[in-house]
Amino acid sequence: MLNFDLFLTSMPGAIAQGMVWGLMAIGLYISYKILDFADLSVDGSFTTGGAVFVISVLNGINIYIAMVFAFLSGCLAGLATGIFNTKFGIPPILAGILTQLGLYSVNLRIIGQDFTLKGMDVKALEAIPRGLFTPIISSMYTNRSLISLLIILALVILVLYWFFGTELGHSIRATGSNKNMARANGINIDATTIIALILSNGIVALSGATFAQYQGSAEVSMGQGAIVIGLAAIIIGEVLFGRIFKNFALRLLGAGLGGVVYYIVIQTVVNVGFNTNDMKILTALVVALFLGVPYWKSKISQKKVKVKEVAK
């Protein structure tokens, strides 16, 4: 049975985590929806962003600059995927897998580094020592985290709305819609593909940095299943808000809200009393349910059309 009091108490934390993954979904939206590129490297770039952020903070770098470094590390991951695809002719899925595979070793190298801070030996895997910096996003300060995440999401959406309204942004959208037509109109589709993947993975890595800050540490498995959660958030956003969110910026917002809804559903399942050992299969079932909704809607629409044709 659902413990309603516990459910309400856990909601702020679930919403905060949902917003973190919603930011990741916005990054994935660029490659998956706009570019029509199945980029599996996000599992690795999410972790890279978190690892680079923690390492930067442990080296005494300002928290905001550390988040910029995390974003840039994701951009490099996207660049690698783009080069594999456009310059080596490797299919999108395999290009993403290769980048993800390489990033696993990179992330192990980053996270495995030892540091001495104030007489303490620490690793990136361990919790960042208290007092080292003042986090803007933390599980210990949920209300402040919610405000900070709202600001970050709003800024990212506004910047992307502006960018995709520029000539370059329209070129990327044209590349995703029809590569042959884009090429015929003089668009360098290799360049637009690489730029879109750089931007997508940069935002995903920024999401990884916010997640590492939220939990106070980074670990090599923190991005495992990120693409599944991101796709679920995108689909949930389309199913729930697709009819009312027509504007591009609102569609990005829908992807972010999809991450929040996803985590609320997961938190509900946990509060019902399911064994935490079953979380992976429960997550898979929740994702499968939402991913199947568009298919069921199309089937129902087809049946309605057939019924109307028969009636005529």
Side-chain angles (χ1 to χ4, degrees):
M1 292 294 292
L2 177 64
N3 187 327
F4 194 69
D5 291 336
L6 180 61
F7 175 76
L8 290 178
T9 303
S10 63
M11 273 303 96
I15 293 172
Q17 291 189 65
M19 292 172 71
V20 170
W21 289 98
L23 178 60
M24 194 277 295
I26 290 173
L28 187 60
Y29 188 95
I30 297 172
S31 58
Y32 179 65
K33 280 293 182 180
I34 298 176
L35 190 62
D36 193 25
F37 190 106
D39 184 14
L40 299 184
S41 62
V42 296
D43 282 22
S45 56
F46 183 88
T47 304
T48 302
V52 169
F53 172 81
V54 172
I55 290 301
S56 298
V57 171
L58 290 176
N59 277 288
I61 295 174
N62 179 276
I63 183 173
Y64 298 102
I65 298 176
M67 293 179 74
V68 172
F69 284 169
F71 173 81
L72 294 176
S73 70
C75 291
L76 290 176
L79 175 64
T81 304
I83 290 175
F84 285 148
N85 175 246
T86 60
K87 305 305 180 184
F88 290 82
I90 300 174
I93 292 179
L94 186 55
I97 291 174
L98 289 174
T99 302
Q100 181 189 137
L101 185 64
L103 285 176
Y104 187 84
S105 294
V106 172
N107 295 335
L108 279 176
R109 286 281 186 175
I110 297 173
I111 292 175
Q113 294 187 44
D114 295 312
F115 293 89
T116 301
L117 292 171
K118 299 178 181 180
M120 299 182 295
D121 292 326
V122 297
K123 291 185 178 181
L125 177 62
E126 299 172 356
I128 301 174
R130 291 186 181 182
L132 183 62
F133 74 105
T134 302
I136 59 173
I137 302 165
S138 172
S139 58
M140 298 174 61
Y141 312 104
T142 306
N143 292 335
R144 184 168 67 188
S145 298
L146 288 172
I147 295 172
S148 299
L149 286 167
L150 276 173
I151 294 172
I152 292 173
L153 282 171
L155 288 175
V156 169
I157 290 173
L158 287 173
V159 170
L160 289 178
Y161 181 69
W162 165 81
F163 175 76
F164 282 100
T166 64
E167 183 178 350
L168 178 57
H170 282 294
S171 297
I172 293 173
R173 296 169 80 167
T175 301
S177 298
N178 191 319
K179 285 189 176 182
N180 293 328
M181 185 63 71
R183 187 186 291 110
N185 281 277
I187 296 173
N188 186 336
I189 63 171
D190 286 354
T192 52
T193 297
I194 291 174
I195 291 170
L197 290 173
I198 287 174
L199 184 58
S200 171
N201 281 273
I203 295 174
V204 169
L206 179 62
S207 173
T210 61
F211 185 72
Q213 187 177 167
Y214 182 80
Q215 68 177 8
S217 64
E219 54 182 318
V220 74
S221 62
M222 62 184 283
Q224 186 177 8
I227 188 165
V228 176
I229 299 174
L231 289 175
I234 292 171
I235 299 301
I236 292 170
E238 288 187 337
V239 170
L240 297 181
F241 311 109
R243 291 187 177 183
I244 57 176
F245 286 2
K246 301 296 183 182
N247 180 275
F248 177 70
L250 292 178
R251 289 180 180 178
L252 293 175
L253 176 60
L257 292 176
V260 175
V261 173
Y262 170 82
Y263 253 88
I264 289 175
V265 172
I266 293 298
Q267 191 63 53
T268 303
V269 170
V270 171
N271 287 339
V272 165
F274 282 94
N275 193 318
T276 54
N277 293 330
D278 299 328
M279 279 306 300
K280 290 295 183 182
I281 190 170
L282 290 172
T283 300
L285 290 174
V286 170
V287 172
L289 176 64
F290 280 106
L291 290 176
V293 169
Y295 174 78
W296 296 332
K297 288 177 68 176
S298 66
K299 284 294 185 181
I300 292 172
S301 298
Q302 290 174 8
K303 287 183 178 180
K304 287 181 179 179
V305 171
K306 288 180 180 180
V307 169
K308 288 180 180 179
E309 290 177 351
V310 171
K312 291 180 179 179

